[in-house]
Amino acid sequence: MSANGRDENGVAAGKPPVPPFFEGTEKRIEIDFAGSGDLRKIPYASWEEVIQLSKTQILNSKETEEFTSFLLSESSLIVYPSKVMLKTCGGTVPLNAVARIFELAASVGMEEEWLCYSRKNFLEPSAQPPEYASQESEISVCKKACAGIGESYLLGPMTGEHWLLYDAAFKDTDCSSRAEFHIDIMMYDLPADVRNHFFSAEPEGSRKGAEEMTKHSGLGALTEGMKAVIDDYCFAPCGYSANVHTACGAYAVVHVTPQEECSYASFETNFGSRKTPEDQADVSESLNELVGKVLDLFRPAKFTLTLFTDQGAENAIGGAPFESADARYSRRNCTSSHFEQDYVATIVNYVGRKIENKRLRKGDSSDEDCQKKLLPRMLRSRSGLALA
């Protein structure tokens, strides 16, 4: 046992009792704004109002040249000059804050252009607040928040791992002239050695506790490779959150719920994303590499990988990030939908090879056959799979 109370594998000694079930699956709101203003000029106190309306609280904030991040007691808030991304977990109610976000944006000369609310299916829907306990009530709240504008979609199997999405376009946009994208990896059933990195005998908010979790989990080396600075936080007796600011202006957010009965980790980033196709270099290799490293660190038994992208980023992304996931796991299903002027959302569910092999022995198609059938046409040419 080392002097810092951890064994040779970096696992905390004498772990306190594990807290009860916690819903790690996040609710996510992304809003684009149009205008000559800057959302970063909105005062800190006003963002506190937004977070309080969401039933969470700000733990820390960090500001760099490109964006401001807020580390929350339940996940993260990212603020760019013309974009807001609010991501909350547990029993939070982020849709309650949309009207206030619109008001604050108007105060700095910005108008809402597009909103997307999305979430993966909950582990325990009955534990959610009433407005989130059913898809019908959730969609009703979305409609109200967007003044009746927008439509709801379900990507993936209704009886399995799926993604609820509400898309509202307040203004006409041409996504072929834009090149923004983001990926989200939602990982479940983490192995014990990974989960143990996110327990600590340190008090909640301890810098030492956060730094040890970041280091021993491998996230420190990962963010160094992204040329990034990290704002991390440890919960007591377990749990972890981090906002990442990269040198290229991209963000990443990491959240970990390590309890065995509900183990979950998410990693979201727009690493490599640019505003216009003219500025967008080929990022397929670096994006595949990043996703591979994340999966190798957390080693989930199953996960869901989503890609939201403007058409203008299609060539730069190629077959990423799915190529990297395909090399390590087996696909269960894939769903892709187009919105507005060729804005594309793709969700793919993966399971470990051992789990998939049991399914294939029952007479299902081979993994390669599944990939050919399920990979969106816009991504197949870069994946090495022949077009149907």
Side-chain angles (χ1 to χ4, degrees):
M1 190 66 62
S2 65
N4 67 1
R6 288 178 175 261
D7 64 18
E8 63 275 13
N9 296 315
V11 176
K15 294 183 295 185
V18 179
F21 172 86
F22 182 81
E23 182 66 70
T25 304
E26 298 102 343
K27 312 172 184 83
R28 185 184 189 279
I29 300 174
E30 181 177 353
I31 312 174
D32 284 344
F33 292 88
S36 58
D38 188 336
L39 299 172
R40 295 173 301 174
K41 293 182 178 179
I42 295 173
Y44 180 93
S46 297
W47 289 120
E48 280 190 310
E49 293 177 32
V50 168
I51 298 310
Q52 289 168 1
L53 287 168
S54 303
K55 300 299 183 184
T56 181
Q57 59 181 323
I58 297 174
L59 302 174
N60 197 18
S61 65
K62 186 174 187 62
E63 184 175 345
T64 51
E65 184 178 350
E66 292 80 11
F67 66 93
T68 301
S69 68
F70 297 85
L71 201 59
L72 311 181
S73 56
E74 284 89 1
S75 300
S76 300
L77 168 66
I78 304 294
V79 181
Y80 281 95
S82 60
K83 181 191 292 289
V84 169
M85 191 280 286
L86 175 59
K87 192 173 192 178
T88 65
C89 55
T92 52
V93 289
L95 287 168
N96 290 2
V98 170
R100 183 58 179 148
I101 294 174
F102 287 171
E103 292 173 356
L104 293 173
S107 73
V108 294
M110 304 291 280
E111 289 184 297
E112 55 269 24
E113 180 181 78
W114 170 81
L115 176 147
C116 182
Y117 169 77
S118 61
R119 66 153 178 87
K120 192 178 172 296
N121 53 292
F122 296 122
L123 293 173
E124 289 288 348
S126 61
Q128 289 296 309
E131 59 267 48
Y132 294 89
S134 73
Q135 293 178 5
E136 292 75 17
S137 59
E138 207 166 3
I139 292 167
S140 178
V141 175
C142 288
K143 282 279 187 184
K144 182 178 180 181
C146 297
I149 298 172
E151 300 292 344
S152 61
Y153 303 83
L154 190 70
L155 280 65
M158 293 182 65
T159 55
E161 308 294 336
H162 58 261
W163 186 264
L164 177 67
L165 185 150
Y166 189 91
D167 177 87
F170 303 100
K171 297 179 181 294
D172 290 333
T173 58
D174 182 2
C175 293
S176 66
S177 64
R178 302 185 180 190
E180 292 185 281
F181 66 85
H182 77 266
I183 63 169
D184 200 350
I185 315 171
M186 292 149 281
M187 299 168 279
Y188 296 85
D189 299 339
L190 310 178
D193 63 310
V194 172
R195 290 188 282 104
N196 288 340
H197 289 310
F198 300 99
F199 283 82
S200 178
E202 293 290 319
E204 183 161 322
S206 161
R207 284 305 314 140
K208 179 182 177 182
E211 289 169 357
E212 288 181 344
M213 288 182 180
T214 298
K215 176 183 178 181
H216 295 302
S217 66
L219 287 169
L222 178 75
T223 53
E224 285 179 10
M226 297 172 71
K227 298 180 179 179
V229 292
I230 188 167
D231 182 15
D232 48 9
Y233 190 92
C234 78
F235 295 90
C238 64
Y240 175 86
S241 285
N243 291 333
V244 177
H245 292 240
T246 72
C248 66
Y251 73 86
V253 294
V254 186
H255 307 291
V256 184
T257 301
Q259 296 95 305
E260 183 177 6
E261 66 169 317
C262 53
S263 64
Y264 172 80
S266 66
F267 182 95
E268 177 186 329
T269 186
N270 63 345
F271 185 67
S273 176
R274 295 291 184 271
K275 279 192 171 292
T276 64
E278 293 76 21
D279 298 327
Q280 185 67 70
D282 189 314
V283 296
S284 57
E285 183 176 350
S286 60
L287 199 56
N288 274 321
E289 181 182 5
L290 177 60
V291 169
K293 288 180 177 179
V294 172
L295 293 174
D296 291 345
L297 285 182
F298 287 99
R299 305 196 322 275
K302 63 179 181 178
F303 68 95
T304 297
L305 175 58
T306 64
L307 168 67
F308 284 62
T309 180
D310 293 326
Q311 185 189 22
E314 179 181 325
N315 290 333
I317 296 174
F322 304 107
E323 291 168 329
S324 184
D326 290 336
R328 293 165 170 81
Y329 287 79
S330 296
R331 294 179 181 229
R332 292 307 303 271
N333 47 64
C334 170
T335 308
S336 188
S337 294
H338 289 240
F339 307 94
E340 283 87 51
Q341 300 296 315
D342 288 321
Y343 182 77
V344 183
T346 301
I347 173 174
V348 184
N349 292 312
Y350 287 91
V351 295
R353 299 290 191 197
K354 291 182 180 179
I355 297 174
E356 182 65 8
N357 286 341
K358 291 180 181 179
R359 185 174 71 92
L360 293 178
R361 282 197 293 269
K362 295 179 181 179
D364 288 356
S365 301
S366 71
D367 191 48
E368 182 175 344
D369 288 340
C370 290
Q371 290 183 37
K372 289 179 180 179
K373 293 175 182 177
L374 298 174
L375 188 62
R377 179 174 293 272
M378 62 175 265
L379 300 178
R380 288 186 204 170
S381 59
R382 292 289 292 275
S383 70
L385 298 174
L387 287 170

